[in-house]
Every structure is written in C-alpha cells, then in structure tokens.
Amino acid sequence: MDNKMFCFQCEQTARCSGCTSSVGVCGKSSKTAELQDNLVGDLIALALTVNQGKDLEDNISDEVIKTVLEGLFTTITNVNFNDETLEIMIEKVKNLRKEVARESKVEEAQAYDMKKIWYANEDIRSLKSLILFGIKGMAAYAYHAWVINYRDDEVNKFFIEALCELSKDNSLDNLLKTVMKTGEINLKCMALLDKANTSTFGKPQPAKVSLTVEKGPFIVVTGHDLNDLKLLLEQTKDKGINIYTHGEMLPAHGYPELRKYEHLKGNFGTAWQNQQKEFANVPGAFLFTTNCLMPVKDSYADRVFTTEVVSYPQMIHIGEEKDFTPVINKALELGGYEKDMEFTGINGGHEVITGFGHDTVISVVDKVIDAVKAGKIKHFFLVGGCDGAKVGRNYYTEFVKATPKDTVILTLACGKYRFNDLNLGEIEGLPRIMDMGQCNDAYSAIQVAVALANAFGCGVNELPLTLNISWYEQKAVCILLSLLHLGIKNILLGPTIPAFISKNVLNILVENYNIAPISTPEEDLRKALTK
C-alpha cells in the first residue's frame, strides 16, 4: 500500500491544495484516509446494486439507508480515526450489498475506485467533490433526525441517487444539476432536522449560559447530537454530577426539554480546535457525540469517551445500548474541581447567549422592522460557519468588533466562538449578537431572512443583509449549496476558497452568484455598508 494519501475535503488541507503525505493536517493517517475512500467506494457500489433494475420511487430498506448515513457520516473530517471500526463498517457494507443483490436477484456491483474521481479532469473532479462532500454533510443531519425517528423519503432516496451519479461519466452540465439538487435536498434535510429537534426538545428560547465550572464531578458533552445529551442527562439525574456543553453542543441550552435538567449547568471551553490544550489534565470526563474530535493527547486520554459514529483507537466507545455508566464512573472518580472555576471566552467574557431560533426571532420581527424603519438598525450580518485552527480566522473576531452599533449580527455553528462572548450591547432590547444555533440551524437563518424579505416586500438579495460564511468541513459545503439553490448572492466565503473548487467551477459561482473571498474586515465592511 502506498504510504501517501490524497485528501482535500477540509479547509485546512495542506498548502490549500491537498494532503498528500503519510499524515493529514487533521491527524488521520494515510491508511485511515484510504479506508475512508474504500468505504465511500463500497457505498457507491451498494447504491448501484440497490438501484439496478428498479426505480428510485420503490421503497429502499431502512437498513440500507441507515448504513449509507452511517458510512458517509463516518468519513466526515474529525469523526473517525480508528482503522478497526472503519474495516468493520466496510465489511458491513459489503455484506449488505451481497444481501441486496441476492434478495433482488440482480448482479452485485463492485466497489468503485475513488481514484477515478481524484484523478479525473479537474472540473469533473470539482463538481463530483461538491456532490460527495455535500452528501457527507447532509448525511450527518439526516442521521441526527433518524435517531429520533424523523425521516424523509425524498431525502433518503437522494443519497442513493447522488452516490450513483458519482460513478457515471456525466457531462459538466449534468453534474452541475446534481450539485444544485444537493443544495435543494439539503434544505429539506435541514428542515427535517429542525422539525425533529423542535418537536422533541421544544422550540429554542434565549438563554444566558455561564462559562464557570462549579466544584464537584462533571461531564463535558461535545458534538451535535442533542439526543445523546438528553440520554446522558437522564442517566445522571441525582448522581451529583454536573453536565457542561462544549463546541456545537452549546445551543442545547436553548431547548426547554434540555434546560429543565438543573444539572445542565453551562458551557466548557471555547472552539473545538482548542480541545487539545483546554482538555489537558481537566478533572472531568468528555463525551464526543459527533465530529470535532482531534487526535487525543495523553494528558486527557483516560477520560475521553465516544459514541455514535465517532471513534478513536483505544478510547472507550458507548454503543447503541447507550449505557453511559463508564462516563459517569470516570466523572465520579476524577471528582471535578475543588472550587468553582471561572473561565472566559477568547475575548474575556464570562457568559454567552444562545437560543435565538427562527421562531424567537420571527416573533419579534415587527419590532425589528420598526427599528429598521426608524433607522436604529441599518444592516444585518450573518457571520457564522465552521471554526478552525489555521492562522487568519481572527478576521471574524475583528470583523464583528468593527461592525457599527446600528447593525445586528446573526450567528450559528462553531465559528461564533471567535466573538460570541463579546458584549456589543442591544438595539431596542435585542442583543446585537444573536446565536441561532448549530450549523444545521442555517435553516433558521434562512427562515428569518425570508420573513424579513416578505415583511419588506422584497427579495432576500435586496435586504440590507450580508452573509459572511466561514467553512471547515463538509457540513459547510452542503449549507453553501443550499444557499446557492435559493439564489442567494454576494456571499463572502473564507478563510480560503475550497481546494476542490476548480478555476472554471469557481468562475461559474462568481458569475452566477457573485461569491467572493474575504479580504480585510475593514474593506469587507465598507463594501457591505455601501452596496
């Protein structure tokens, strides 16, 4: 086996062109990268087998869909570093493919060679990458909805359709149509997850979240899976253990059915990429429910636990039975801090605010409109997306700090950790920074934008609204495609343009949607406020 890889699916990819050495920037080995490619190749073969001799309108088994979702989710950046679990997943896909072929009396498709994509014409590679990375991100959202029993047949069937398209020698025009359909279906997927979360955990409400960790045993829960958090909260009731969110789990504090647990105390740490420093020698247990796992350091390896598709060698994994006893016992063993510990955000703030879902913001839309008409709100900025470790992301902190006092910042996903502890004041009783939730809550931001456009009798592109989006991994890709599907223009994208976007494909995006790379905070603000 060659000891080198080819991977360019995340923003931090080496030299902004691709990781090609024995270890990727994210920390995965070349063998892990190869196994992830093999898994995708086998998923494509599964889709081709399922689709042989039948129409996609036919029912596709739950086992097939769940396996596709798990498989794609597993290959997202910073999810799985464990070759053993990847090999198990590959074998599972192969066995299921044989079973489908036998039951359907069709010929079993063979594993697709991903090198056919990575070494294709650069424009073909670019469009197929947009499709593949888009459905990887969408698979995470569909999976979160799936585990709380919310499904959508159109969304599920598109995974099979898109995987099949990746194997075809399609024209650029046909591939571009599938790229745009990926954005369309992801919008339905985000709506599905929004319905799943709000129906299960209640509609988010604004909540102030402390960054102080109280004395005594505690568990830090990171990732995106609200259901895992709910199960842990249930299992830790009356055990003297406090629960803290981390990273993308912060928005959980806005959901009434999660907030009702008194031992859900606050938020620990800052953005996900700081975990190797912030988790070191901390006397608490850490539970990873989704991606955002970095290679685990010895200084906290004995207290890290994984669940769902997250996996790291030698870490204890909580399986489908969801018995969190090992996590609970570790927290009790460590004992926590001997006194309350006051931590701060990266700007020195002691608390953050979350919970501004679309229902909350739309409920005060009349107040917002009055403020706009009175000249008290001049512009809206959506500053959100992924955070990352690469130098230059302080741009987003400086951008938000420099926004005028008569502007409002909507934010979501982990990119907000660059500035969410800032106190920028209020406008008409509304905080200038409104955290709308996780990355999938881009759906909330879209709903707010549509509501404002309807109220002002104009299109979204005519609103005094600027979208300044940061990206890191594949969920950001599917969100961007959904924004393009809606025809939203003038998006600022950073900190770099994706390495998998070819020059010709970038020209298409620029010509049709006026996408632009970020420059400096001052220049980007000047352009936004004078358009």
Side-chain angles (χ1 to χ4, degrees):
M1 182 182 70
D2 190 349
N3 65 350
K4 293 186 178 182
M5 69 172 77
F6 176 75
C7 182
F8 62 173
Q9 68 176 11
C10 84
E11 192 271 335
Q12 290 185 172
T13 195
R15 301 174 300 281
C16 293
S17 60
C19 291
T20 57
S21 66
S22 59
V23 179
V25 173
C26 70
K28 69 182 176 184
S29 69
S30 58
K31 181 180 179 183
T32 301
E34 181 181 55
L35 288 170
Q36 290 182 352
D37 270 359
N38 290 346
L39 176 53
V40 174
D42 277 303
L43 289 170
I44 290 173
L46 173 60
L48 290 168
T49 303
V50 166
N51 199 38
Q52 279 190 72
K54 65 187 297 184
D55 193 293
L56 277 175
E57 293 303 313
D58 295 339
N59 290 328
I60 302 170
S61 74
D62 283 354
E63 185 179 11
V64 166
I65 296 300
K66 188 167 187 289
T67 300
V68 167
L69 298 183
E70 287 178 341
L72 289 171
F73 195 174
T74 294
T75 66
I76 287 179
T77 306
N78 293 93
V79 171
N80 192 316
F81 294 83
N82 194 333
D83 295 348
E84 182 180 348
T85 57
L86 286 167
E87 288 168 346
I88 291 171
M89 175 63 75
I90 289 170
E91 194 63 26
K92 177 182 178 180
V93 175
K94 287 180 177 178
N95 290 336
L96 181 56
R97 192 167 75 232
K98 293 180 186 298
E99 181 182 328
V100 169
R102 184 172 59 251
E103 291 182 353
S104 302
K105 295 180 174 60
V106 297
E107 184 177 348
E108 177 189 351
Q110 297 305 301
Y112 183 77
D113 183 359
M114 295 301 291
K115 290 185 176 66
K116 292 181 179 178
I117 294 178
W118 306 144
Y119 298 104
N121 165 276
E122 66 172 355
D123 295 332
I124 296 292
R125 179 178 73 171
S126 182
L127 293 172
K128 286 193 173 184
S129 294
L130 278 167
I131 296 166
L132 175 58
F133 301 157
I135 62 173
K136 283 187 178 188
M138 184 164 59
Y141 299 149
Y143 184 90
H144 292 317
W146 184 283
V147 296
I148 47 179
N149 298 314
Y150 281 79
R151 290 105 191 251
D152 184 294
D153 285 344
E154 185 178 9
V155 171
N156 292 338
K157 290 171 182 176
F158 180 72
F159 287 108
I160 304 299
E161 177 186 335
L163 285 168
C164 290
E165 288 298 308
L166 291 173
S167 72
K168 297 178 181 178
D169 295 325
N170 267 335
S171 66
L172 292 176
D173 285 343
N174 285 336
L175 285 172
L176 188 57
K177 288 177 183 177
T178 305
V179 167
M180 299 311 297
K181 188 172 181 180
T182 304
E184 175 189 358
I185 300 300
N186 182 62
L187 187 62
K188 295 179 183 293
C189 189
M190 288 194 296
L192 173 70
L193 182 53
D194 178 79
K195 181 180 179 181
N197 285 340
T198 56
S199 299
T200 306
F201 308 112
K203 294 180 179 179
Q205 299 169 3
K208 289 185 178 180
V209 183
S210 173
L211 302 183
T212 295
V213 176
E214 298 180 14
K215 66 179 181 180
F218 66 95
I219 298 170
V220 175
V221 186
T222 190
H224 304 72
D225 200 302
L226 299 176
N227 191 55
D228 282 332
L229 175 60
K230 173 73 180 296
L231 294 173
L232 180 66
L233 287 166
E234 275 293 318
Q235 292 180 36
T236 49
K237 278 194 307 186
D238 305 319
K239 292 186 181 295
I241 299 174
N242 290 329
I243 306 298
Y244 295 86
T245 56
H246 172 266
E248 282 274 57
M249 198 62 80
L250 168 63
H253 292 275
Y255 288 91
E257 288 301 307
L258 299 174
R259 285 177 63 181
K260 71 181 184 182
Y261 293 91
E262 293 183 359
H263 60 304
L264 177 60
K265 291 290 186 176
N267 192 72
F268 176 87
T270 55
W272 69 272
Q273 75 275 0
N274 298 324
Q275 64 192 255
Q276 290 177 326
K277 177 178 66 175
E278 294 179 346
F279 289 7
N281 303 309
V282 169
F286 298 92
L287 176 65
F288 283 82
T289 68
T290 60
N291 59 314
C292 304
L293 171 69
M294 293 188 74
V296 181
K297 297 291 188 180
D298 290 342
S299 58
Y300 58 94
D302 66 324
R303 57 206 67 185
V304 168
F305 300 82
T306 61
T307 191
E308 298 295 354
V309 299
V310 190
S311 188
Y312 195 86
Q314 301 179 355
M315 299 297 106
I316 295 176
H317 188 78
I318 307 300
E320 292 183 1
E321 75 285 353
K322 295 297 179 183
D323 180 359
F324 292 112
T325 300
V327 192
I328 293 168
N329 288 342
K330 176 56 72 171
L332 292 172
E333 174 195 329
L334 292 167
Y337 293 109
E338 295 181 356
K339 63 178 182 178
D340 292 358
M341 299 292 289
E342 290 190 9
F343 295 102
T344 66
I346 66 169
N347 300 290
H350 290 273
E351 67 178 16
V352 293
I353 302 176
T354 190
F356 287 91
H358 56 89
D359 290 294
T360 294
V361 180
I362 290 174
S363 71
V364 295
V365 73
D366 290 341
K367 191 175 184 179
V368 173
I369 292 168
D370 289 342
V372 172
K373 290 180 177 178
K376 295 178 180 179
I377 297 178
K378 296 287 182 62
H379 205 87
F380 299 89
F381 294 97
L382 174 59
V383 186
C386 308
D387 202 359
K390 185 180 286 186
V391 175
R393 285 183 179 265
N394 60 315
Y395 159 93
Y396 296 98
T397 309
E398 299 308 315
F399 183 93
V400 169
K401 282 183 177 179
T403 54
K405 293 182 179 180
D406 55 4
T407 61
V408 170
I409 297 95
L410 304 175
T411 189
L412 47 83
C414 60
K416 62 176 167 273
Y417 279 96
R418 292 281 170 174
F419 51 80
N420 67 335
D421 64 318
L422 290 170
N423 183 359
L424 297 187
E426 298 181 344
I427 300 177
E428 296 295 283
L430 298 172
R432 284 191 55 221
I433 297 178
M434 298 187 196
D435 176 13
M436 307 194 77
Q438 297 179 340
C439 52
N440 52 282
D441 290 310
Y443 177 77
S444 275
I446 290 167
Q447 297 309 303
V448 169
V450 170
L452 287 172
N454 289 338
F456 285 111
C458 66
V460 171
N461 290 320
E462 283 69 55
L463 287 171
L465 169 67
T466 297
L467 278 68
N468 195 337
I469 307 297
S470 56
W471 81 282
Y472 173 75
E473 43 92 329
Q474 296 76 67
K475 284 178 281 185
V477 175
C478 62
I479 290 171
L480 176 63
L481 295 181
S482 289
L483 295 173
L484 300 183
H485 158 71
L486 291 169
I488 295 176
K489 299 182 178 182
N490 304 311
I491 298 171
L492 287 169
L493 184 63
T496 61
I497 296 297
F500 52 83
I501 300 290
S502 68
K503 183 178 179 180
N504 289 332
V505 171
L506 179 60
N507 286 339
I508 292 172
L509 299 181
V510 171
E511 290 171 6
N512 289 280
Y513 303 100
N514 200 29
I515 284 182
I518 60 171
S519 57
T520 65
E522 297 77 15
E523 179 62 14
D524 289 340
L525 274 170
R526 185 191 66 77
K527 290 180 179 179
L529 295 173
T530 56
K531 70 175 184 179

